Amino acid sequence: MRKIIFIVLLLMLPMSVSAQNNTMSAGNILSVCTTASMHWIDFCNGFFQALHDHAVLQGIACTPSGISRDDLVELFQHEAARNIQSDPSIREQPALSIGTDILGKAFPCR
């Protein structure tokens, strides 16, 4: 039953993937991270851990010790939604670049 529910949710997820562009968009990750399913919550946590590690290793963000994945998800949800509201084209941009920019602004390296 869990597999059937997961497959149905997967089919319902509005993903825009093409041969030329198979990145996760900012709009898609917002959809995924607001879906009340443990599978998507796990995916979302993993995505934001990787986003965090990327931004820190690139020297773009210097997050404080003890920041949680929940903190990262909430920051992205708030800031990405605000940015999309002011410029709807951001919805289609890669979530990694939007998220890295958000982390860099929230936790700049000084």
Side-chain angles (χ1 to χ4, degrees), residues 52-78:
H52 170 267
D53 293 352
H54 167 75
V56 169
L57 291 171
Q58 294 297 310
I60 297 167
C62 293
T63 56
S65 178
I67 193 163
S68 72
R69 286 184 293 270
D70 288 341
D71 296 331
L72 299 172
V73 172
E74 288 174 17
L75 174 65
F76 182 86
Q77 287 176 337
H78 180 266

Side-chain angles (χ1 to χ4, degrees), residues 1-98:
M1 187 60 160
R2 291 180 99 185
K3 282 185 180 184
I4 293 171
I5 292 171
F6 178 74
I7 291 170
V8 169
L9 287 173
L10 184 62
L11 292 173
M12 292 173 56
L13 183 66
M15 297 260 183
S16 56
V17 177
S18 67
Q20 293 99 5
N21 183 7
N22 60 2
T23 61
M24 175 69 76
S25 73
N28 285 351
I29 200 71
L30 278 174
S31 287
V32 166
C33 291
T34 56
T35 300
S37 164
M38 200 58 205
H39 295 290
W40 290 121
I41 292 168
D42 290 343
F43 175 86
C44 187
N45 283 334
F47 178 86
F48 282 99
Q49 182 65 56
L51 172 76
H52 170 267
D53 293 352
H54 167 75
V56 169
L57 291 171
Q58 294 297 310
I60 297 167
C62 293
T63 56
S65 178
I67 193 163
S68 72
R69 286 184 293 270
D70 288 341
D71 296 331
L72 299 172
V73 172
E74 288 174 17
L75 174 65
F76 182 86
Q77 287 176 337
H78 180 266
E79 292 301 313
R82 189 177 62 76
N83 292 341
I84 289 169
Q85 187 174 23
S86 67
D87 180 1
S89 70
I90 290 173
R91 176 176 292 286
E92 300 307 318
Q93 293 181 16
L96 182 66
S97 62
I98 299 300

